[in-house]
Amino acid sequence: MTKRDKIVVIEDEADILEVLNYNLKREGYTVVASRNGEDGLDKVRRENPDLVLLDLMLPGLDGIEVCKRLQADPVTSNVPVIMVTAKGEESDVVLGLQLGADDYVTKPFSPKELLARVKAVLRRGPLRETRAAGERITRDGLVVDVVKHHASVDGEPLTLTATEMRLLHFLAAHPGRVFSRDQLLSRAIGDHAVVIDRNIDVHVGAIRRKLGRCRDLIETIRGVGYRFKDPDEE
Ligand code: CA
């Protein structure tokens, strides 16, 4: 039995806070609740939690600003953040992900969905510490070997460009995690971006066509970006 994971929940709406509190505690998490951004930041600094659940629409210091300050402070920059958003806040979600948030859930969410995201983020830890993902990734008949520049579905080799290979490997190495297009461009493609088509959608479209029956492994998250399917969600 490992220590109980501690979660700071920053949420101004009392009824939502209560639902979060109840469900997280029932799962055995230690919950530290906060009703606004300033207080939430203090609590994250003081409590050194394993995870922050951060509502984006907060009075005063809003969630995006909280996210920014968490990232800017070396004491808190490694604490994973799950944003809690309302429908229609996709542009804030994109911004939050770029600022270093790890994931998000959209209200209204079921406790089951929320707990699945919480578990997934706790399991993989902070984005910045992503271990060198295995060079060879296998999943449902798909094999991606970035060193050998080889990918196949059911043993049938795929003909991927270098960019497509990099992108597919990056997504497959971070299952369940949503990335914005800009993040994919900078993190997956990086310096090569100057010489290739910067339109991520074009690359993803090409990869999907080549993946054939495995095409659905890459999910489009409307208004936000892309995600490689989390095995736990199947
Ligand atoms: Ca709110």
Side-chain angles (χ1 to χ4, degrees), residues 191-223:
D191 297 340
H192 306 270
V194 285
V195 291
I196 54 106
D197 189 340
R198 297 178 60 88
N199 189 334
I200 287 291
D201 297 336
V202 170
H203 298 301
V204 170
I207 294 169
R208 280 198 179 125
R209 272 194 303 281
K210 294 173 184 179
L211 284 178
R213 70 160 190 88
C214 287
R215 57 179 294 129
D216 293 338
L217 284 174
I218 302 178
E219 302 172 306
T220 302
I221 311 300
R222 190 181 291 275

Side-chain angles (χ1 to χ4, degrees), residues 11-13 55-59 107:
E11 167 66 74
D12 61 312
E13 285 159 78
D55 182 27
L56 286 190
M57 287 283 273
L58 294 166
K107 296 176 193 172

Side-chain angles (χ1 to χ4, degrees), residues 12-231:
D12 61 312
E13 285 159 78
D15 48 346
I16 296 178
L17 187 58
E18 197 183 310
V19 169
L20 292 171
N21 196 20
Y22 172 79
N23 283 285
L24 292 169
K25 279 188 174 155
R26 205 177 53 170
E27 285 295 302
Y29 297 114
T30 301
V31 178
V32 177
S34 178
R35 301 288 296 274
N36 68 68
E38 288 86 352
D39 176 65
L41 274 175
D42 280 349
K43 286 189 168 142
V44 176
R45 287 193 194 105
R46 215 167 41 228
E47 302 280 347
N48 187 28
D50 300 282
L51 175 71
V52 177
L53 272 182
L54 175 63
D55 182 27
L56 286 190
M57 287 283 273
L58 294 166
L61 211 58
D62 69 22
I64 288 296
E65 190 56 36
V66 171
C67 202
K68 225 181 259 177
R69 295 191 190 185
L70 287 173
Q71 293 308 316
D73 184 343
V75 173
T76 56
S77 64
N78 274 334
V79 181
V81 174
I82 298 180
M83 300 176 283
V84 179
T85 73
K87 272 207 169 56
E89 292 179 345
E90 285 83 3
S91 59
D92 283 340
V93 168
V94 171
L95 188 56
L97 291 171
Q98 275 154 14
L99 288 171
D102 294 78
D103 205 347
Y104 72 100
V105 289
T106 306
K107 296 176 193 172
F109 47 80
S110 68
K112 191 172 163 233
E113 178 192 357
L114 175 87
L115 291 169
R117 312 300 310 159
V118 165
K119 268 182 210 144
V121 169
L122 285 172
R123 192 178 57 226
R124 47 189 199 223
L127 182 61
R128 289 148 298 279
E129 286 173 12
T130 302
R131 57 276 161 216
E135 287 155 351
R136 187 172 187 275
I137 295 166
T138 59
R139 176 80 180 276
D140 303 346
L142 168 69
V143 177
V144 187
D145 189 325
V146 78
V147 173
K148 290 185 185 153
H149 189 84
H150 172 84
S152 62
V153 171
D154 301 332
E156 287 292 314
L158 309 179
T159 312
L160 298 177
T161 66
T163 300
E164 289 162 6
M165 176 63 80
R166 231 176 253 123
L167 198 50
L168 176 60
H169 182 262
F170 182 82
L171 284 166
H174 302 89
R177 180 166 277 162
V178 184
F179 293 100
S180 70
R181 290 168 175 80
D182 280 351
Q183 279 179 307
L184 290 173
L185 202 54
S186 60
R187 292 177 57 92
I189 301 179
D191 297 340
H192 306 270
V194 285
V195 291
I196 54 106
D197 189 340
R198 297 178 60 88
N199 189 334
I200 287 291
D201 297 336
V202 170
H203 298 301
V204 170
I207 294 169
R208 280 198 179 125
R209 272 194 303 281
K210 294 173 184 179
L211 284 178
R213 70 160 190 88
C214 287
R215 57 179 294 129
D216 293 338
L217 284 174
I218 302 178
E219 302 172 306
T220 302
I221 311 300
R222 190 181 291 275
V224 177
Y226 294 101
R227 175 171 69 190
F228 199 81
K229 202 177 251 182
D230 188 336

